[in-house]
Amino acid sequence: MQPTWTLGALVQSKATPAALQQTTQRLLQETTADGVLYWDARLGMPDESTIARLIELPGHMWHAGLCLGMAGLPRLMHYTRPTWMFNVDPPHHVDATSWRVSLRACLVRTDVLRHLGGIATACTSLAGASLDLGLRALTAGLLPRHIPWMLPQPPAQGAPETLPVEDEFAIARSHYPSWQVFWAGMRGAAKGALSLSQAVRHTLARSTAQIPSVKWFPPPPDSQLTLEDLRATQPRITILIPTIDRYSYLRVLLDQCRGQTLTPHEILVIDQTEAEQRDHQLAQDFADLPLRVITMDEAGQCRSRNLGLQVSTGDYIMFLDDDDEIPPNLLETHLRNLLLLRADVSSGVVYEPPQQPREVQKNRIRASDVFPTNITLLRRKSSERAACSISHSTAAPAKITIWVCASI
C-alpha cells in the first residue's frame, strides 16, 4: 500500500547510488519543492510535523547518520586527516554538526542538492555515497546537521555500517591528492585497518565513475542583510581584549575600533601588565570610546577572558587580541553571518603582513573546526549554556519531496 505524504510528492527508488542519482537528476529538473527527504522505508514513515520543523532550522542538510551506524567511517579518514575536529563524532543522541550523513534518513534543501550535483556514483554502497555527499557538503561551505530526533522512534545507536574497501578509497580519491591517499592506505595497513594487499591494490586503482566537483556554495543574494538592517536590531556588542604590556599595538587596535561601521556597546580591556608598568593614560586618551580598563595582578589568557565574560553586558562578545588590526566592517560582517545563518559563533581568519588572503578564500562561509579567540564573535547566551540555539518559524510549512528508498 502506498504510504501517505501530504507535504509534497512521493517517489520510490532502489537504495543504490546509481538508482538514486538517476532519480535525483530527473526530479531536480522538474521539482519546485524546498527540500528532498531521503528515507529508508524500514524506519517507518517520518513524522510530517518533525520534517517540516527541520527545514526551518539553521543548516542546509539534516540527517540521523550517527544514530544509523555511520560514526567513525570511513576508516581511512583517520589517516588522511587525523587531527581534523570533524573526525571526532559527538554522542549519537545530541544535535551536532556532522558530515557523516546517512541517506537512510536525510533532508536536503533542493538548491543545495542541485549545487552539489546529486549523489556521486563513484561509491558502490549507499553508505559510501552518503558519506561522500556529507563530505562534499562540508567542503562546499554547507552545514550538515545531525538531528537524532528526526527518527520516528527514540534515537538509539544502530549497528555500525559496513563500508567496502573500494568505497573507502573512492571517497579518499574524490577529496584528497594521490600522495595523501597513498599515505592513508599505507598507514591503514600498518594499523591493521586493512591488509597490505588491499592498500596497494586500491591505492593504485583509478576509478572511472563520475565524481561531482565540489564548488563553493554562496549565500543567496536576496538574503543579504544591509547595514541599516543590522543597526535596526540594536545589537549590543562587547569587544573583549586581554593585554600584557603591549600598549603600542593595543592603541592601534583601539583607534580602529573608532571607525567600526557598527558602534560597539562596550570595549573591555583586561590589563595584566605589572602594576608599575601600566599605562594609566589609556582610558583618558580613548575617552570617546565606551572603554573600560580592568586590571588583573595575576596574568592568564583564559582567566582574563573569563573575567571579561563575567563583567560584560553585551548580547554579543567579540574576542580580539591586543595586536590585531581590524577592518572597519569587522563587527558588521560577523554579526551579519550570525543573523543570516542563525548561528551562535562566527570566527574569522588572521593574516600576518605581508600575507594576503587568497582570492579563493575571500567571502567564504564554512563550518569552522576552530575557535580562534582573537577574531570570533559569540552570542552571549551561547557562552552561558554552551549549546546551539534553535529557532522556530511560524511561516507556512515547506513543500518537501520524500523518497522512500526500498531495500535492494
Side-chain angles (χ1 to χ4, degrees), residues 56 392-398:
E56 299 296 336
H392 301 276
S393 172
T394 57

Side-chain angles (χ1 to χ4, degrees), residues 15-17 20 38 61 63-65 68 70 73-74 98-106 108 116 118-121 123-138 144 161 163 167 171 175 405:
T16 66
L20 285 179
Y38 295 88
M61 176 186 300
H63 63 93
L68 297 174
M70 304 301 285
L73 296 176
S98 173
W99 60 272
R100 288 189 163 104
V101 170
S102 173
L103 287 170
R104 294 179 58 203
C106 180
V108 190
L116 293 176
I119 311 301
T121 57
C123 295
T124 60
S125 67
L126 185 65
S130 301
L131 292 166
D132 178 82
L133 181 67
L135 188 54
R136 277 189 287 132
L138 199 63
E161 278 276 7
L163 192 64
D167 287 359
I171 295 171
H175 297 275
C405 304

Side-chain angles (χ1 to χ4, degrees), residues 92-399:
H92 72 279
H93 60 275
V94 302
D95 298 13
T97 298
S98 173
W99 60 272
R100 288 189 163 104
V101 170
S102 173
L103 287 170
R104 294 179 58 203
C106 180
L107 174 63
V108 190
R109 295 190 187 277
T110 307
D111 58 341
V112 166
L113 201 54
R114 287 194 178 98
H115 182 83
L116 293 176
I119 311 301
T121 57
C123 295
T124 60
S125 67
L126 185 65
S130 301
L131 292 166
D132 178 82
L133 181 67
L135 188 54
R136 277 189 287 132
L138 199 63
T139 304
L142 297 161
L143 191 64
R145 295 284 294 167
H146 176 256
I147 308 291
W149 46 267
M150 75 181 294
L151 296 176
Q153 299 296 327
Q157 193 166 23
E161 278 276 7
T162 57
L163 192 64
V165 176
E166 300 93 318
D167 287 359
E168 294 261 359
F169 280 91
I171 295 171
R173 283 194 296 268
S174 300
H175 297 275
Y176 301 103
S178 56
W179 69 265
Q180 210 165 350
V181 177
F182 175 80
W183 170 258
M186 295 303 102
R187 289 289 296 167
K191 294 294 185 178
L194 65 162
S195 68
L196 181 60
S197 62
Q198 285 177 322
V200 173
R201 183 170 71 255
H202 291 290
T203 298
L204 298 178
R206 290 292 181 267
S207 174
T208 58
Q210 183 179 3
I211 301 169
S213 59
V214 177
K215 300 174 292 183
W216 195 258
F217 186 81
D222 59 350
S223 67
Q224 295 299 322
L225 294 170
T226 66
L227 179 57
E228 289 69 27
D229 294 332
L230 297 177
R231 286 172 175 163
T233 66
Q234 298 182 338
R236 302 196 310 164
I237 302 176
T238 295
I239 297 179
L240 176 56
I241 311 170
T243 189
I244 303 181
D245 197 18
R246 297 205 292 186
Y247 296 111
S248 60
Y249 296 114
L250 176 61
R251 285 176 172 272
V252 172
L253 174 58
L254 290 176
D255 185 58
Q256 291 170 342
C257 289
R258 286 173 165 146
Q260 287 296 300
T261 54
L262 280 180
T263 303
H265 165 67
E266 64 182 350
I267 301 173
L268 301 181
V269 170
I270 313 299
D271 192 352
Q272 306 153 78
T273 308
E274 293 184 6
E276 60 273 13
Q277 297 177 355
R278 287 175 187 157
D279 184 351
H280 299 287
Q281 189 69 21
L282 194 66
Q284 182 176 341
D285 290 347
F286 292 92
D288 57 311
L289 290 176
L291 176 64
R292 296 167 59 194
V293 179
I294 302 171
T295 58
M296 280 180 55
D297 293 329
E298 185 178 349
Q301 289 299 298
C302 293
R303 293 179 67 250
S304 63
R305 291 189 176 97
N306 285 334
L307 175 59
L309 285 171
Q310 291 171 8
V311 301
S312 63
T313 59
D315 301 317
Y316 304 90
I317 310 296
M318 183 75 224
F319 292 94
L320 292 175
D321 278 354
D322 55 6
D323 60 346
D324 286 342
E325 293 189 19
I326 59 176
N329 64 345
L330 181 78
L331 299 183
E332 173 190 345
T333 302
H334 278 290
L335 182 63
R336 182 177 288 111
N337 286 343
L338 286 189
L339 297 182
L340 280 177
L341 300 175
R342 289 178 288 172
D344 292 296
V345 180
S346 172
S347 60
V349 180
V350 174
Y351 295 92
E352 296 282 348
Q355 183 186 25
Q356 293 293 326
R358 293 182 296 168
E359 192 64 33
V360 72
Q361 294 176 319
K362 290 183 178 179
N363 301 318
R364 289 194 165 187
I365 300 174
R366 62 180 176 85
S368 178
D369 56 357
V370 295
F371 187 104
T373 51
N374 62 333
I375 187 168
T376 292
L377 181 66
L378 169 73
R379 289 185 191 268
R380 180 184 180 86
K381 290 183 179 179
S382 301
S383 69
E384 295 170 351
R385 57 189 171 85
C388 290
S389 60
I390 295 179
S391 8
H392 301 276
S393 172
T394 57
K399 182 180 178 184

